[in-house]
Amino acid sequence: MSEQFWTYLFVGLTFGVYVSIALWARASSTKEFYVAGHDVPPILNGMATAADWMSAASFLSMAGLIAFLGYGGSVYLMGWTGGYVLLALLLAPFLREFGKFTVPDFVGERYYSKIARVIAVICALMVSFTYIAGQMKGVGVAFSSFLGVSFNAGIFIGGFIVFIYAVLGGMKGVTYTQVAQYVVLIFAYTVPAIFISIIVTNNPIPQLGFIGNIAGSDIAMLTKLNTVVTDLGFKEYTSTTKSDVDIFCITAALMFGTAGLPHVIIRFFTVSSAKAARKSAGWALMFIALLYTVAPAVGAFARMNFIDTVNEATYIENNEDFEDRTAEILSKGEKPIPKWYKDWEKTGLLDYNDLNQDGIIQYRGPDSKDNIENEIVPNRDIFVLANPQIANLPNWVIGLVVAGGLAAALSTAAGLLMVISSAISHDLMKKTLYPNMSEHTELGIARTSAFIAVVVSSFIGAFASSLPFVAQVVAFAFGIAAASLFPVIFLGIFWKRMNKEAAIASMLTGLVTTVIYICYFKFMGGVEADWWFGVSPEGIGFIFMLVAIVTGVIVALISPPPPIEVQKLVEDIRIPGQKGNLR
Amino acid sequence: MEIQSKKQRLYWKSVRLFTAVLLVVWFLASFGAGIIFREFLDQYYIGGAPLGFWFAQQGAIYVFLIIIIIYCLGMSHLEKKYDFTN
């Protein structure tokens, strides 16, 4: 069977499962629509959170990114897992104890202010639209590269699938499809990883292969990789060119950003209690760690394998006489390019330019020792995608990887959609503009805004290449979440004295400074030499988060303390099982 | 404040202390071992990986997971001790 057949089969099957779940898990009340009825078991919420969290970028790009960055890639590994510690210890159980529906809901009630609520809505929408556009773009790429469907049609099909379960089932539908999507994506990720680990290190467990020796030798894999990349003129794999200060700030911005991301936080509203929220955060991190500890191993193996098979390989122009040419090159004692190279070349993910006209691919770093120029630029997504073929796995595994990538993109998109729709229908319409609205009407508006959000994000995804902010998810989404949302939620729980004036000042400070800094250095020609304290736009969210916290504390101390009912509410959410006056 | 009982105050104090201790571990495993002390730790090896590098790409994640597990167990214990289990 061809890989095209298997890809259609797996994508068709998994989409069928998602739609069936959607039809089964329809939401009939706003409570079911926003928080899946507050009764999702912790382990299932852990899986759903993991799928919600791991996006197209985690699935397709992260291993490749680490393969190129080496130690520098650690910021993503530590940043995107360490945030769960903050979430579990500082936010999730208390927000669940508070017992409402959305992040702006907490901000609005805790700070007894519609203005604070609306600012939180703006932050949540900015974060979520930036994030979701990247997911829709990922869906378009997957469809156009593997299913022979055009980019825009791919986005439309993906959007339609998400539309079915998000609009019908709300959070309930999204939760149970995410559970299924987690199973698909983790299986699709680890199966090829196990085989490539066996090929490179002879160890079936990638995490152990990572610290093990090269197959059939007693040289450590990472030591060999360090030697190989430095010989080609790259920096050592286990070191970095970035400054420690920047590495520190990016890691911190990603951690605090993770903890402040609305689509992650709302997952913890779906469980039954604060205790269940804690447990659920543990399960979520465990399911995430399954992929995140495999990714650096895949990255290192893939870099090793790429250099072994592609560097100094003789290029073959045509696919038709590939076998004959391979035999001919081998008989001359030279190395032919591998079969997977030809298969993936047509996707544009490998860009070979024979600068010295010798018909051989030379892969070199910036400090090339033999003065040969680099001739090949591999796209970072190629490593996860080509893994099954590099490891000589059967064609069905490729279909599985494509279905896994789509599962990762769709599950994240759906989670974000829930944030967008609840921010509009609940926080903006019900709680700010039309407080007398009936539950039936609110549910209708929730579905309508989910529908509009699907359409808008599909359009943003379709025009992603001409919208520069889409490529800056890491800087924008995490920066804003860290600098504007994390401080007010954290202080709202741990500091009773925090008040309305301080919350508004803190959110605005974090939001405005972060957005201006990122825009200046990303789009308006700011240069690296001018970075404040040597901190890149990706890491600046951490600095402005500290500024926002200090601003909040100062403003709170020079303005009146919050009303007594609010102080009582804060005490209630700290103690398990208490019912507050405001509820 | 008078609306808060002595029991609640003591409970909340223990929670904050427990949380602070775990956050110190969180900081040391990631920012400490993986970034600040990386170069020093890289002279030691775990299997074939330099230790600081390994913490940044693997070890920190395992420590995070252990922290959350200990937090869950510890909080259940504190809730029982102060009788907030419902």
Side-chain angles (χ1 to χ4, degrees):
Chain A
M1 285 321 156
S2 74
E3 57 182 76
Q4 184 94 355
F5 166 81
W6 287 110
T7 309
Y8 270 106
L9 183 74
F10 277 110
V11 171
L13 271 180
T14 51
F15 278 27
V17 170
Y18 307 152
V19 172
S20 316
I21 293 175
L23 295 175
W24 163 73
R26 269 171 306 195
S28 53
S29 66
T30 50
K31 198 175 159 192
E32 283 189 347
F33 194 89
Y34 293 140
V35 292
H38 282 320
D39 63 357
V40 179
I43 183 164
L44 292 187
N45 187 50
M47 277 192 196
T49 309
D52 191 73
W53 175 240
M54 293 190 283
S55 59
S58 287
F59 189 91
L60 289 179
S61 313
M62 197 171 62
L65 209 55
I66 298 167
F68 293 118
L69 294 173
Y71 169 78
S74 313
V75 294
Y76 304 110
L77 294 165
M78 288 188 286
W80 287 339
T81 53
Y84 279 84
V85 174
L86 299 170
L87 205 54
L89 271 58
L90 301 177
L91 312 182
F94 307 104
L95 290 174
R96 175 60 195 91
E97 188 66 31
F98 167 71
K100 288 291 175 61
F101 294 158
T102 69
V103 171
D105 227 5
F106 173 78
V107 175
E109 304 265 324
R110 166 64 181 83
Y111 296 112
Y112 45 99
S113 159
K114 283 187 181 174
I115 298 173
R117 187 189 288 266
V118 172
I119 297 172
V121 167
I122 292 169
C123 295
L125 290 180
M126 284 180 76
V127 169
S128 301
F129 270 116
T130 316
Y131 219 115
I132 202 171
Q135 305 308 314
M136 296 315 279
K137 189 183 158 204
V139 171
V141 171
F143 270 96
S144 56
S145 323
F146 306 104
L147 296 159
V149 180
S150 79
F151 181 80
N152 289 344
I155 288 186
F156 176 77
I157 297 170
F160 183 71
I161 298 291
V162 180
F163 162 81
I164 292 176
Y165 61 78
V167 173
L168 276 183
M171 198 59 169
K172 197 174 159 198
V174 168
T175 302
Y176 293 101
T177 35
Q178 281 175 337
V179 172
Q181 283 159 338
Y182 177 77
V183 176
V184 173
L185 81 85
I186 200 66
F187 194 62
Y189 201 84
T190 45
V191 168
I194 289 170
F195 283 95
I196 191 149
S197 180
I198 293 174
I199 289 178
V200 178
T201 66
N202 219 359
N203 194 321
I205 301 168
Q207 291 90 336
L208 295 180
F210 187 59
I211 59 170
N213 293 341
I214 289 282
S217 83
D218 52 5
I219 305 166
M221 192 275 297
L222 285 167
T223 311
K224 172 91 185 290
L225 187 54
N226 272 341
T227 319
V228 171
V229 294
T230 40
D231 282 351
L232 294 179
F234 294 95
K235 197 110 164 109
E236 268 195 339
Y237 190 80
T238 55
S239 72
T240 180
T241 47
K242 287 183 184 164
S243 74
D244 274 1
V245 174
D246 200 26
I247 293 263
F248 187 103
C249 289
I250 298 175
T251 306
L254 295 179
M255 283 189 187
F256 288 98
T258 300
L261 281 178
H263 73 284
V264 178
I265 293 177
I266 55 165
R267 288 247 39 102
F268 294 93
F269 290 118
T270 65
V271 296
S272 60
S273 66
K275 187 177 180 159
R278 294 195 295 262
K279 264 197 198 161
S280 185
W283 282 116
L285 184 60
M286 204 199 82
F287 292 128
I288 291 165
L290 268 179
L291 193 148
Y292 273 56
T293 53
V294 168
V298 170
F301 299 153
R303 183 82 179 269
M304 191 80 188
N305 194 285
F306 181 78
I307 294 171
D308 267 356
T309 56
V310 174
N311 184 37
E312 307 298 343
T314 306
Y315 187 70
I316 300 172
E317 200 69 50
N318 291 318
N319 240 344
E320 290 79 50
D321 56 351
F322 185 84
E323 311 291 322
D324 299 341
R325 284 283 291 141
T326 303
E328 191 188 323
I329 294 164
L330 282 172
S331 69
K332 278 195 276 180
E334 291 169 359
K335 180 164 78 175
I337 54 163
K339 182 82 177 73
W340 65 262
Y341 185 99
K342 282 313 280 187
D343 287 345
W344 287 94
E345 196 179 33
K346 55 179 184 272
T347 59
L349 294 175
L350 291 155
D351 185 19
Y352 168 54
N353 187 2
D354 193 5
L355 294 173
N356 59 2
Q357 303 289 318
D358 63 353
I360 296 171
I361 299 177
Q362 270 102 12
Y363 179 54
R364 292 293 183 277
D367 308 312
S368 169
K369 285 175 184 163
D370 47 11
N371 289 320
I372 293 176
E373 279 184 272
N374 181 40
E375 298 180 333
I376 179 150
V377 183
N379 183 290
R380 63 192 183 196
D381 295 353
I382 186 75
F383 290 141
V384 168
L385 289 170
N387 243 346
Q389 280 165 308
I390 294 172
N392 284 322
L393 297 179
N395 277 335
W396 62 266
V397 183
I398 299 160
L400 186 64
V401 169
V402 175
L406 284 169
L410 293 178
S411 57
T412 307
L416 292 158
L417 216 51
M418 295 318 297
V419 171
I420 297 172
S421 96
S422 61
I424 293 171
S425 63
H426 185 69
D427 292 297
L428 224 48
M429 302 301 275
K430 168 84 179 173
K431 292 288 178 169
T432 310
L433 299 173
Y434 307 103
N436 297 324
M437 184 193 290
S438 74
E439 191 187 318
H440 183 74
T441 319
E442 192 186 341
L443 188 58
I445 292 177
R447 290 192 209 275
T448 314
S449 41
F451 168 70
I452 294 170
V454 174
V455 175
V456 172
S457 52
S458 299
F459 272 103
I460 300 179
F463 292 105
S465 49
S466 50
L467 298 168
F469 77 92
V470 175
Q472 303 302 333
V473 177
V474 167
F476 269 119
F478 288 86
I480 295 173
S484 67
L485 292 172
F486 182 84
V488 286
I489 305 173
F490 168 70
L491 289 172
I493 296 163
F494 283 83
W495 197 40
K496 233 187 312 183
R497 183 67 177 74
M498 185 71 180
N499 61 10
K500 173 172 87 177
E501 293 80 359
I504 293 170
S506 171
M507 279 191 289
L508 286 178
T509 308
L511 180 66
V512 172
T513 50
T514 307
V515 169
I516 290 177
Y517 192 90
I518 296 171
C519 286
Y520 179 73
F521 286 104
K522 287 287 186 186
F523 312 129
M524 291 159 64
V527 290
E528 194 173 327
D530 295 337
W531 286 356
W532 291 7
F533 319 108
V535 178
S536 61
E538 283 80 12
I540 203 68
F542 173 62
I543 303 291
F544 287 131
M545 178 193 82
L546 298 177
V547 174
I549 289 178
V550 172
T551 310
V553 170
I554 293 172
V555 174
L557 291 175
I558 56 171
S559 52
I564 194 85
E565 318 86 76
V566 171
Q567 301 194 32
K568 176 92 171 66
L569 168 84
V570 177
E571 280 174 358
D572 284 345
I573 62 174
R574 292 170 175 180
I575 308 294
Q578 306 284 302
K579 288 273 174 247
N581 287 345
L582 287 179
R583 285 186 289 158
Chain B
M1 196 149 60
E2 73 281 5
I3 50 175
Q4 192 181 25
S5 71
K6 190 176 173 221
K7 186 175 89 168
Q8 289 177 338
R9 258 204 316 278
L10 283 174
Y11 166 78
W12 184 240
K13 208 175 158 187
S14 319
V15 171
R16 276 184 306 175
L17 182 69
F18 182 43
T19 306
V21 170
L22 290 177
L23 286 180
V24 170
V25 179
W26 163 82
F27 183 85
L28 289 178
S30 49
F31 296 98
I35 300 174
I36 301 168
F37 305 117
R38 173 178 66 91
E39 280 184 37
F40 170 76
L41 289 175
D42 273 355
Q43 59 184 309
Y44 306 104
Y45 281 81
I46 175 161
L51 191 59
F53 171 81
W54 180 82
F55 259 100
Q57 300 218 329
Q58 300 268 301
I61 302 176
Y62 301 130
V63 176
F64 296 155
L65 198 52
I66 294 168
I67 291 174
I68 299 186
I69 293 169
I70 293 176
Y71 180 71
C72 287
L73 297 173
M75 287 298 285
S76 294
H77 172 77
L78 281 177
E79 282 174 6
K80 254 189 219 113
K81 186 175 161 195
Y82 288 93
D83 195 24
F84 288 129
T85 43
N86 298 342

